[in-house]
Amino acid sequence: MNNSDGRAGPRSLELFATASRVIPGGVNSPVRAFSSVGGKPPFIRSAQGATLTTEDGVTLIDYVGTWGPALLGHGHPAVVEAVCKAAQDGLSFGACTGAEGTFAERLCMIVPALRNGLVRLVNSGTEATMSALRVARGFTGRDKIIKADGGYHGHADMLLVAAGSGAATMGIPGSKGVPAGAVQDTLLVPYNDLEAVRECLHTHKNQVAAIILEPVAGNMGCVPPVAGYLEGLRQLCDRNGVVLIFDEVMTGFRISLGGAQAHYNVTPDMVCLGKIVGGGLPVGAYGGRRNIMQCVAPLGPVYQAGTLSGNPLGVAAGLATLDILEREKPYPQLATQTVKLVAGLGALAKRHGVPMSENHVASMFTGFFQAAKVCNYADARQSNLEAFACYHREMLARGIYLAPSQFEAGFVSVAHDDATIDRTLAAADGALKVVAQTIG
Ligand SMILES: *Cc1c(COP(=O)(O)O)cnc(C)c1O
């Protein structure tokens, strides 16, 4: 075995066998399984900067970044130090700490939707979206919500309708175990289609509480909003008394420090945060306009709670991450590296005669295995999934760790330097050659 072959070796296979005996599918989140690309997942022993080291002792260049949080690269010394220091003082109190207020204040300064507003900390992106929707429903007194086809907002019952990410890959856009009643108020529209939203609001006049949307879709692969889409949604929500919720669990602090809403200059009524906000620990947050968030208990009648919410370790990691991002402002550099990568991939695909349609925003990217431009989930599904699976396998065999699904965004981190990008492109050259032969 060559020493950059990241495919599951003997040790990973052994660990996977153990895990599979006691964990469903051997994984604690379905996106980690290799169902759609074949093979078994390599197990990870450690991570540093732009790389992961597998249990088989192979070091891989990582474009998953723990599904988004690792914007600063893995194991940033200042973040690790902050967590260790906080741990010394106690792991959890279930009581108020000063750091929570500092953190919330910082979030309210950075994220446009939180300016002069209120924010509540939770433990995951899923909790953030389900709580935000409950608040929007409580605030408006309406039940219906609108989501985009292929939009993923965590695994709450009401949101598991035509959801992207793992649900798309596994071919279960819905899910068994979700009662019909739980999704009867969830309305679906295609992403990037303003007219569909207008019609939906017209049909369900005065019944829609909220539109929840990824302002840059990431869970159908990376799909940016078309010009005027976010602005149009803002107007429609204003006219119809609908709460506009941007699910920035993936895009928050990634598209820009203030998220996609700062980048596109469209401020939603509420925002959901996760992933980067916890610097690698399980933290989520939701918040927005003060009059809306005043509905939340104990101020108001909408109940939402959490034993470990505002956990001192998570808050310390989040604060340290925001400190670094504010100080170092790495966004131009992240964009430059991402452009280098996607331009290089595009050129290689062309040279090998492999149809590839590339989308990227800031440090998020996806190469769809098809010639046509991808603007929504229906487009994304036209991709050649066999070609993707082949590409994934060949890249892993050459030391490059990609999400095992066409319907995921890739992430570049601060630690992806020129040498890292060059090595990735060298691997892609070999991988795409094989893909060309396979689909040829
Ligand atoms: C990851 C993600 C979620 C869910 O977050 P979890 O922490 O996995 O529960 C929700 N929305 C978006 C846009 C995401 O990318």
Side-chain angles (χ1 to χ4, degrees), residues 358-379:
E358 168 278 310
N359 279 342
H360 72 277
V361 184
S363 54
M364 266 168 80
F365 67 94
T366 298
F368 293 97
F369 281 82
Q370 61 170 300
K373 187 93 200 127
V374 173
C375 294
N376 60 35
Y377 189 41
D379 294 349

Side-chain angles (χ1 to χ4, degrees), residues 257-284:
L257 186 63
Q261 56 192 280
H263 180 79
Y264 292 102
N265 197 23
V266 175
T267 307
D269 301 303
M270 296 187 80
V271 59
C272 303
L273 300 168
K275 298 194 168 117
I276 294 171
V277 81
L281 290 187
V283 178

Side-chain angles (χ1 to χ4, degrees), residues 345-356 369-371 384 387 428-429 431-440:
L345 288 173
L348 288 169
K350 201 165 176 189
R351 165 133 45 95
H352 290 291
V354 174
M356 190 184 279
F369 281 82
Q370 61 170 300
N384 183 340
D429 192 13
L432 286 166
K433 189 173 169 194
V434 180
V435 174
Q437 288 159 357
T438 309
I439 63 175

